[in-house]
Amino acid sequence: MNPVTHEDLVKIKEEVNSKVSKNWISVGLSTCGIAAGAQDTFFALKNEARLRKLPFEVRRSGCAGVCAQEPLVVVAAEGMPVVTYGKLTKDKVKRLFDEHIIGKKVLSDLALNTHDPKQMRIVLRNCGEIDPESIRDYVARDGYFALSKVLKGYTPEQVNEEMKVSGLRGRGGAGFPTGIKWEITRKVEADQKYIICNGDEGDPGAYMDRGVLEGDPHSVIEGLAIGGYGIGATRGFFYIRAEYPLAIERIEKALKQAYLYGLLGKNILGSGFSFDIEIRLGAGAFVCGEETALIASIEGRRGYPHPRPPYPSVKGLWGKPTCINNVETLANIPVIFLKGGPWFAGIGHEKSKGTKVFALTGKVEKSGLVEVPMGTTLREIVFDIGGGAAKGKKVKAIQTGGPSGGVIPSEHFDTPVSYENLQKLGSIMGSGGMIVMDEDDSMVDIAKFYLGFCVDESCGKCAPCRIGGKQMLGYLEKITEGRGEPEDLDKLRKISHTMQKASLCGLGQTAPNPVLSTLRYFENEYKEKMAHKAVAAS
Ligand SMILES: Cc1cc2nc3c(=O)[nH]c(=O)nc-3n(C[C@H](O)[C@H](O)[C@H](O)COP(=O)(O)O)c2cc1C
């Protein structure tokens, strides 16, 4: 196949959009859907359409975010409104054909209202909408038009400028401005530069990046290619955790298609810009998501972090300037260039621009992936979108930012979401995990869980993290087993501060956060556990 031109992209878009059939059924086939039986539903739907000799195209899509309702099926039948059905397991397929397709009646007990006015989909714009394994589907929704626009009309300096105007900040945790990171890397002179997509996603409860990689892989590839052009890199890497086999498979397929279309490789869209992407797998160590450890891992060394500076932007992969960006960060890029930096900067709250995807899980009625403009309050996310606590319980707090974050009690839920606001509350935005806890949850147990995770995942290279984490865990075990003493709380605080100041990387520096935030808001729960000891002894 000849490499495509911009005109070819326009033609493909017109062709795909003009051929959309009036009768189709799409099934969410991402990890969450497959786990709920969506693959069986998919084959049952195909089989039923064939047996009944009905001209229905049964297609695959990614995760639409409504994970609690999987298997999710969208049905478009001539003369009927497009309807989304939840929990459509294979045993309900015959009924769907009898009642909806033949009987022209909506199955009201299974139909969902998926339109949520509080949500805004930039990152998840195509997830659940297109077949993630079809580059033509992606092109039909303006895919690769941003790359074409950039290569035709922007210098790398202008790319950096547009990104700075957009105000996009890294979604991998630290919230560093993406445009500035790109500019720093561009300005370093070197014969070779690299850009890496960080798809290691190790926070417990977080699966935003998996959703995007599985549901819209080309958007991340396009973002990575634009980033490569913007910093002067000719090689890019996906670093994806090996526990995400479907994400890896979909990225592999998408890369093959992008090469086939000439949207990767030499002289992309006739611009003279050449860019190659390879995949590397992370093998299950949380610390390998930290950028310096990630680089060591790609180089084939043990995934140990090293002190910064030098930052990867100056001295990264194989000693060359390297920019590392998170999956969600990159998925924003094509839209920023299609609609403009000022458009993006117009969405959000103060210094936090655009939207944020959260994996809303835990004791919440409607768990799933939600994407909201920055500035949406925590209450709107947990109650209006998430439906509040499951089983009629009371929401006590949420945990954001994973093992580096903290808990936020419900009395602070009117806070608008922003990097700064969450930090003021003693937590962080992190990568987007948001776990809801109800009245039955013990905050001391929550702190112990996260600290235990960090102790397990500590690489052991630096003493503050290796020893401090273990000591803290020892105190938490003592307290939860009813052996705690009042001075243990001071000891926990002291070790926390040492770890924050002296640890080598973000893992050790932030590991005490869940303990400190639970102590800040729920010290009474620690004291109650200690009081048990006093009662038992008397
Ligand atoms: C222990 C640890 C684990 C991390 N894991 C991830 C990860 O899985 N994905 C990610 O994007 N960033 C992770 N980060 C942050 C990265 O080091 C880096 O800041 C980020 O990938 C930069 O991308 P961004 O600027 O687009 O946010 C981790 C940091 C630490 C300290």
Side-chain angles (χ1 to χ4, degrees):
M1 176 174 171
N2 287 333
V4 296
T5 60
H6 177 81
E7 291 65 38
D8 294 330
L9 290 178
V10 175
K11 251 190 246 159
I12 295 170
K13 179 180 167 178
E14 281 169 7
E15 222 173 84
V16 177
N17 287 330
S18 68
K19 281 193 187 153
V20 174
S21 112
K22 291 195 173 105
N23 293 311
W24 54 264
I25 304 175
S26 94
V27 185
L29 284 173
S30 281
T31 295
C32 47
I34 292 169
Q39 207 126 36
D40 290 342
T41 301
F42 180 73
F43 290 120
L45 286 164
K46 273 190 170 255
N47 202 30
E48 202 61 31
R50 190 177 50 81
L51 288 175
R52 297 188 191 222
K53 297 195 172 62
L54 289 170
F56 268 82
E57 188 193 336
V58 182
R59 324 173 175 150
R60 165 193 322 109
S61 68
C63 167
V66 198
C67 308
Q69 294 292 333
E70 299 281 5
L72 212 68
V73 171
V74 184
V75 183
E78 216 171 341
M80 292 281 285
V82 176
V83 182
T84 303
Y85 287 112
K87 301 198 173 166
L88 208 128
T89 39
K90 69 171 181 188
D91 51 302
K92 297 176 187 134
V93 164
K94 279 194 169 51
R95 191 182 148 212
L96 179 84
F97 272 81
D98 288 342
E99 295 180 27
H100 183 118
I101 292 170
I102 309 287
K104 303 277 180 217
K105 224 179 97 215
V106 174
L107 281 61
S108 52
D109 55 323
L110 298 175
L112 303 173
N113 177 7
T114 48
H115 174 72
D116 190 339
K118 299 253 155 139
Q119 295 204 48
M120 180 179 195
R121 291 164 77 92
I122 296 176
V123 174
L124 302 178
R125 60 195 177 277
N126 294 324
C127 291
E129 302 281 337
I130 63 168
D131 177 351
E133 297 190 10
S134 163
I135 190 170
R136 291 172 66 84
D137 266 25
Y138 181 66
V139 172
R141 291 176 72 111
D142 293 327
Y144 291 108
F145 280 72
L147 180 63
S148 170
K149 183 176 174 183
V150 164
L151 296 182
K152 218 190 258 170
Y154 287 67
T155 61
E157 290 82 351
Q158 288 169 326
V159 168
N160 297 169
E161 219 35 61
E162 191 80 48
M163 287 301 297
K164 286 200 285 182
V165 170
S166 76
L168 176 69
R169 292 167 68 177
R171 304 300 196 227
F176 191 83
T178 309
I180 296 180
K181 198 193 263 190
W182 286 13
E183 186 174 59
I184 295 170
T185 321
R186 177 179 60 77
K187 283 186 171 167
V188 182
E189 288 203 14
D191 55 351
Q192 178 71 59
K193 294 179 192 177
Y194 301 103
I195 182 162
I196 301 172
C197 169
N198 188 345
D200 202 42
E201 192 162 60
D203 285 6
Y207 62 100
M208 307 75 50
D209 295 350
R210 189 190 76 201
V212 178
L213 292 170
E214 292 180 352
D216 193 15
H218 284 286
S219 68
V220 194
I221 294 173
E222 189 179 5
L224 198 62
I226 293 172
Y229 177 74
I231 66 164
T234 53
R235 285 182 72 189
F237 289 90
F238 272 98
Y239 187 84
I240 309 175
R241 59 183 301 172
E243 298 92 331
Y244 281 179
L246 186 61
I248 294 162
E249 189 186 314
R250 295 228 165 117
I251 287 290
E252 269 171 357
K253 281 189 183 159
L255 286 176
K256 272 193 194 140
Q257 293 169 349
Y259 271 108
L260 186 70
Y261 278 63
L263 294 162
L264 287 175
K266 296 225 174 321
N267 191 22
I268 297 168
L269 292 158
S271 65
F273 173 62
S274 301
F275 188 66
D276 288 298
I277 301 181
E278 294 167 51
I279 304 178
R280 293 288 185 276
L281 304 192
F286 176 60
V287 77
C288 283
E290 192 281 333
E291 54 191 23
T292 61
L294 185 154
I295 286 171
S297 171
I298 293 186
E299 288 176 353
R301 294 184 287 121
R302 190 167 178 167
Y304 270 166
H306 70 69
R308 300 170 307 172
Y311 286 92
S313 295
V314 178
K315 198 166 176 239
L317 194 57
W318 296 299
K320 304 293 181 185
T322 303
C323 179
I324 300 176
N325 282 127
N326 164 265
V327 170
E328 186 181 333
T329 310
L330 292 168
N332 273 296
I333 309 294
V335 190
I336 290 175
F337 284 93
L338 282 179
K339 300 199 175 183
W343 169 82
F344 191 84
I347 303 161
H349 182 76
E350 296 174 352
K351 290 189 216 151
S352 303
K353 305 298 187 190
T355 58
K356 180 75 195 87
V357 182
F358 290 101
L360 188 62
T361 60
K363 306 269 189 72
V364 67
E365 186 65 34
K366 297 186 236 167
S367 61
L369 293 181
V370 306
E371 182 173 1
V372 290
M374 297 277 194
T376 305
T377 66
L378 296 169
R379 189 175 305 286
E380 287 171 300
I381 299 173
V382 175
F383 288 94
D384 298 347
I385 299 174
K391 298 180 186 162
K393 297 269 179 178
K394 253 174 82 181
V395 175
K396 182 171 178 179
I398 52 168
Q399 205 283 348
T400 68
S404 310
V407 296
I408 302 173
S410 55
E411 57 265 31
H412 292 288
F413 278 10
D414 288 319
T415 308
V417 161
S418 73
Y419 289 95
E420 284 72 22
N421 282 348
L422 294 191
Q423 216 160 2
K424 267 186 229 151
L425 291 174
S427 189
I428 58 164
M429 180 88 76
S431 59
M434 187 180 279
I435 300 174
V436 177
M437 286 160 296
D438 71 17
E439 56 201 290
D440 296 337
D441 290 311
S442 151
M443 294 297 130
V444 187
D445 287 344
I446 297 287
K448 196 172 95 180
F449 166 77
Y450 280 106
L451 192 72
F453 176 84
C454 288
V455 168
D456 281 348
E457 294 294 337
S458 169
C459 73
K461 186 175 175 184
C462 74
C465 176
R466 184 180 69 243
I467 301 170
K470 267 235 148 77
Q471 284 178 334
M472 285 184 70
L473 192 60
Y475 285 116
L476 288 179
E477 277 163 0
K478 200 175 149 196
I479 293 167
T480 50
E481 287 162 15
R483 296 180 287 114
E485 293 159 286
E487 58 271 25
D488 291 346
L489 299 188
D490 279 342
K491 286 181 185 154
L492 278 172
R493 288 193 174 97
K494 262 197 188 142
I495 305 170
S496 292
H497 293 136
T498 306
M499 283 178 72
Q500 286 177 324
K501 279 201 187 121
S503 295
L504 171 62
C505 84
L507 195 155
Q509 288 157 8
T510 59
N513 289 358
V515 177
L516 290 175
S517 78
T518 46
L519 274 172
R520 172 171 168 183
Y521 295 115
F522 298 100
E523 189 170 337
N524 59 322
E525 293 197 19
Y526 284 82
K527 289 188 169 151
E528 273 165 27
K529 297 234 182 233
M530 290 172 177
H532 276 287
K533 177 190 170 190
V535 172
S538 63

